[in-house]
Every structure is written in structure tokens, then in C-alpha cells.
Amino acid sequence: MKAGAPRAGERRAKAALQAPVAARRRAPPPAAAPAAGYGALAVFALAYRGAQAFWGVPALVLPAYLAASVVCFAAYALDKRAAVHGRRRTPERTLLLLGLLGGWPGAIAAQQGLRHKSSKAAFRRVFWATVALNIGLFLALCALLARAAVASA
């Protein structure tokens, strides 16, 4: 072997680092992931309809969720693009906060449609915790608003 020539292991490591990010993509998410996302959307739709029927949800709640979802989807799309091109990424904390603030339906759409952040188990655990927290806060807020309306009547 020539002096200074790279060894086979070094050549493979160098080639792996130079491979495009898309070529190093993770395995697809488990088959249950789409069902869980659509199931959460169905549960929220039922909770929203129930809250609307029993407590009278303020009219701005649905447009606020839609706007937050669009912003969250856009943040996931920009992060996906940055990941593919090897640029600076959006912090996971920011993506989770956007979801917690009501953008989680858009995050689910981005995870399913863009296949982004759909296979990282640690992120998904925290994400689903923020979804549950958001739905719980939504229901608690609706109940408080209903009690306040009854008390003032």
C-alpha cells in the first residue's frame, strides 16, 4: 500500500459523509403513525363539536387553530427543506411550541405529507404529549368560559 493512501474504512467513512442528506434518510415511520395522527384529529373534532354544543365555543377558536396550523406546517416545511439542503435547522423546541399553541393539526399534516419528524421516537413522544396538553387546555378553557357565562347571566 502507498504511504499516505487512505484505508478502505476511511474511504467508506468519507464517502458516507459526502453522500447527500436524502441518501442517508431514516427508515419510514411505523405503519400505525398515520392512523394515530388522523385519530387525534378525529378526537379533537369530536371534542370541539362537544364543547361547541355544551359550552358554546367562541367563534374565533376555529380560525385560530387553522391559522396556527398553517404557520406550524410552514415551519415544518422550512425545517424539512433546511434538513435536505444541510442548512441551519429550526429548533425542535420551536416546532413543539408551535404545536402546543394550536398548530398541532398542521404539524400532523406536515409529518404525514412531508415525512418530516415522523420517525424520531423521542420527538414524537414529546409531540404527542403537547397534543394531549393542548386538547386538555382547550376543554378546560371552554369549561371556564361556560361557567363564567352562566355566573354572569
Side-chain angles (χ1 to χ4, degrees), residues 1 5-17:
M1 180 174 3
R7 294 184 181 151
E10 292 171 347
R11 285 192 303 268
R12 281 193 298 273
K14 186 175 179 181
L17 289 174

Side-chain angles (χ1 to χ4, degrees), residues 12-94:
R12 281 193 298 273
K14 186 175 179 181
L17 289 174
Q18 292 174 343
V21 174
R24 294 182 270 150
R25 196 170 280 154
R26 288 189 177 131
Y38 299 132
L41 291 173
V43 166
F44 181 70
L46 289 173
Y48 183 86
R49 290 294 292 153
Q52 194 174 37
F54 292 113
W55 299 316
V57 177
L60 291 177
V61 171
L62 187 59
Y65 267 95
L66 292 174
S69 292
V70 168
V71 169
C72 195
F73 185 95
Y76 272 73
L78 290 172
D79 187 49
K80 171 74 174 192
R81 177 175 242 189
V84 168
H85 294 291
R87 293 194 302 249
R88 187 170 177 203
R89 306 280 304 276
T90 303
E92 287 184 351
R93 181 177 27 192
T94 301

Side-chain angles (χ1 to χ4, degrees), residues 72 76 94-105 107 127 130-131 134:
C72 195
Y76 272 73
T94 301
L95 297 174
L96 292 168
L97 181 61
L98 288 171
L100 179 63
L101 295 175
W104 63 266
F127 171 76
T130 64
V131 170
N134 179 271

